[in-house]
Structures are given as structure tokens and as C-alpha cells.
């Protein structure tokens, strides 16, 4: 099996069977793109703090703002990003909007990452 390198040269594969196996197991490009986008969301410490806070309890913007010592506008902006990424959901009670984790996968991803960095 031959492939092109970045400089348009040709590279000869050493283990064709391995390449076929890994290629067959590789997720589709759009799925890998979505995964990369998900990890970008985790690349902001404010969003990480918000998610961590929501592990404990559903919270409104005002309370998250006080907890993190940030403006309500800054918190709302980050929550909008988290909502678009389907990491948080919300419910309204009168004029107050409460945010919570969208599902338990988020906490599992977070715990795995935390475990990795604290080893």
C-alpha cells in the first residue's frame, strides 16, 4: 500500500495488514471532527469550572456568577457554548433559568480527564 507524504513524496507501507485493520476501525471523518470539537469545548477553564459546579447541583446564572466571581454576561456566554455543544440543558422557572448537565457522559469524560492529569 502506498500513500503520499506531506511533501508529495511516496512512502511505502511496511505493515499493509495493520494499515487495513486500523483503517477499517477508524471512525468516519465527520465523527472525528465532532470529537475534536467536543474536546475544544473542554479547552477553556471557565467552561470546566461551570461543568464542575453543575456536577454538584443544577444552578442559575446568578449563582454560577457569584461562585466563579465572573459577570453574569460572561457566564451566559459560556453556558451558550456549552448548550450548543449539548453539554448542558436548562429549564425555566418563572424568570429564572436553571442549568444542569445534559447527561452522565459529561461527568464521566471529565472524571477520566481529571484522573489522567492527577496521576
Amino acid at each position: 500500500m502506498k500513500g503520499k507524504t506531506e511533501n508529495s513524496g511516496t512512502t511505502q507501507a511496511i505493515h499493509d495488514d495493520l494499515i487495513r485493520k486500523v483503517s477499517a476501525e477508524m471512525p468516519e471523518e465527520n465523527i472525528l471532527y465532532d470529537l475534536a470539537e467536543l474536546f475544544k469545548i473542554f479547552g477553556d477553564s471557565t467552561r470546566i469550572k461551570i461543568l464542575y459546579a453543575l456536577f454538584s447541583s443544577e444552578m442559575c446564572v446568578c449563582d454560577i456568577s457569584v461562585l466563579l466571581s465572573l459577570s453574569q454576561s460572561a457566564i451566559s456566554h459560556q453556558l451558550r457554548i456549552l448548550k450548543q455543544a449539548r453539554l448542558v440543558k436548562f429549564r425555566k422557572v418563572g424568570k429564572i433559568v436553571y442549568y444542569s448537565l445534559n447527561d452522565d457522559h459529561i461527568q464521566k469524560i471529565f472524571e477520566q480527564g481529571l484522573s489522567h492529569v492527577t496521576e
Side-chain angles (χ1 to χ4, degrees), residues 61-102:
V61 173
C62 296
D63 290 343
I64 297 170
S65 174
V66 170
L67 176 69
L68 301 183
S69 299
L70 293 168
S71 70
Q72 289 182 35
S73 174
I75 298 299
S76 292
H77 173 72
Q78 297 302 336
L79 283 167
R80 196 168 21 263
I81 292 168
L82 292 169
K83 190 171 62 172
Q84 288 171 345
R86 298 185 337 251
L87 296 176
V88 299
K89 60 185 177 183
F90 68 95
R91 70 180 181 90
K92 266 186 137 175
V93 177
K95 293 183 178 184
I96 301 175
V97 179
Y98 292 93
Y99 289 87
S100 61
L101 296 178
N102 198 29

Side-chain angles (χ1 to χ4, degrees), residues 108-119:
K108 289 176 185 175
I109 293 167
F110 190 93
E111 288 169 351
Q112 286 291 312
L114 193 56
S115 173
H116 179 74
V117 300
T118 57
E119 280 186 354

Side-chain angles (χ1 to χ4, degrees), residues 24-89:
E25 295 171 355
M26 185 83 65
E28 294 179 21
E29 186 68 29
N30 62 325
I31 293 172
L32 293 173
Y33 177 84
D34 290 346
L35 181 61
E37 290 299 308
L38 173 67
F39 283 116
K40 284 181 189 177
I41 300 297
F42 288 113
D44 181 274
S45 62
T46 299
R47 290 192 289 266
I48 291 294
K49 290 174 188 176
I50 291 169
L51 290 171
Y52 194 84
L54 296 178
F55 293 160
S56 298
S57 179
E58 165 182 84
M59 297 180 77
C60 67
V61 173
C62 296
D63 290 343
I64 297 170
S65 174
V66 170
L67 176 69
L68 301 183
S69 299
L70 293 168
S71 70
Q72 289 182 35
S73 174
I75 298 299
S76 292
H77 173 72
Q78 297 302 336
L79 283 167
R80 196 168 21 263
I81 292 168
L82 292 169
K83 190 171 62 172
Q84 288 171 345
R86 298 185 337 251
L87 296 176
V88 299
K89 60 185 177 183

